[in-house]
Amino acid sequence: MANTPSNMLPLGTIAPNFKLLDTTLEKYISLQELKGSKGTVIMFICNHCPFVKHLNTEIVKTATEYQTKDISFIAISSNDAENYPQDAPHLMKLISVEQKYSFPYLYDETQEVAQAYEAACTPDFYLFDANLKLVYRGQFDDSRPGNGIPVTGNDLKAAMDSLLEGKEINANQKPSMGCNIKWKKQ
C-alpha cells in the first residue's frame, strides 16, 4: 500500500467538465448533469484501496447528510482496470450496491479526467462551489488504516459547512493520502 499524497490543485480552479460512464445506471452522465446547486464534491476512489475501504462507511454517511443540503457527491475511479481487474466497471457497480452509495460511481477509462483534476491518490477529495470553483481539496480527515484515529470526515465537513454558511474556507488544507492511481503504461 503506497502512501501517495494529493497534488493539491490550485484553489479557484474551475472543475474540468467530463462525461463518464455511471457504472450503476450503465449510462454516460456529465458533470453538468450531476453538479449540486450549492456545491459539488468529486472523489477519486477505487474498489480495492485499503484507504478507501477504511473511509467508505463514513463517506456514505457524509454524502447522505450533505446531499439533503444541495451538495452533490460524485465518485470516480480512474484506475487501469486491465492491469487491476478488481477495479473493473462491473465490480464498481457491485461495490456501489454493497456499500449503498447514494452517489454515482463513474469510470474514467481513458484517465483523462484524473489527469485534468491532477488526481494522484485514492481517495482524493475536491469541493467546488455552486459555480464549480474549487474551494477545498485534500483529506477527508486525519484517519488512516491502522492509525487508531476515528473516521469522522471532519476536514471535508468543515469545508462544506463553511461553504453552506457563506464563510471563508480555511486555505490551510491537508493533502489526502492513499494509494496511487494505477496509471496505464504509456
Side-chain angles (χ1 to χ4, degrees):
M1 152 169 102
N3 288 333
T4 301
S6 299
N7 284 327
M8 304 300 277
L9 191 65
L11 294 173
T13 298
I14 300 299
N17 202 15
F18 55 77
K19 188 169 191 171
L20 295 172
L21 176 66
D22 181 323
T23 59
T24 305
L25 299 177
E26 298 180 7
K27 70 175 191 172
Y28 284 83
I29 195 156
S30 72
L31 172 59
Q32 295 304 315
E33 295 169 275
L34 296 172
K35 71 179 187 169
S37 63
K38 294 187 179 164
T40 304
V41 172
I42 297 178
M43 311 171 276
F44 286 86
I45 66 172
C46 71
N47 294 346
H48 80 276
C49 172
F51 290 88
V52 174
K53 288 179 177 184
H54 179 70
L55 301 179
N56 251 336
T57 300
E58 192 60 35
I59 288 172
V60 171
K61 285 182 192 171
T62 301
T64 301
E65 176 185 350
Y66 283 87
Q67 285 167 326
T68 66
K69 300 174 184 181
D70 299 317
I71 293 183
S72 175
F73 278 67
I74 303 165
I76 300 173
S77 177
S78 299
N79 277 359
D80 174 7
E82 188 175 317
N83 288 309
Y84 297 86
Q86 63 270 44
D87 289 327
H90 71 283
L91 297 176
M92 291 170 59
K93 181 177 182 176
L94 286 177
I95 293 291
S96 178
V97 171
E98 283 173 13
Q99 295 294 321
K100 296 180 175 56
Y101 286 175
S102 59
F103 45 83
Y105 192 12
L106 309 179
Y107 181 50
D108 177 22
E109 183 176 10
T110 66
Q111 301 184 319
E112 290 172 4
V113 176
Q115 291 169 354
Y117 282 78
E118 297 182 23
C121 60
T122 56
D124 218 344
F125 296 91
Y126 301 80
L127 172 63
F128 296 89
D129 68 12
N131 299 313
L132 292 176
K133 185 173 81 174
L134 185 65
V135 295
Y136 177 84
R137 75 287 192 247
Q139 69 177 12
F140 192 63
D141 58 29
D142 287 321
S143 186
R144 305 286 185 268
N147 76 357
I149 297 172
V151 179
T152 62
N154 283 345
D155 289 52
L156 180 59
K157 287 178 182 178
M160 291 187 292
D161 289 342
S162 292
L163 177 66
L164 291 168
E165 294 164 10
K167 295 179 179 174
E168 190 171 330
I169 296 170
N170 186 345
N172 184 15
Q173 301 170 4
K174 295 180 188 175
S176 189
M177 183 67 66
C179 300
N180 62 304
I181 290 180
K182 308 307 185 225
W183 300 105
K184 294 179 180 183
K185 304 277 189 261
Q186 301 297 349

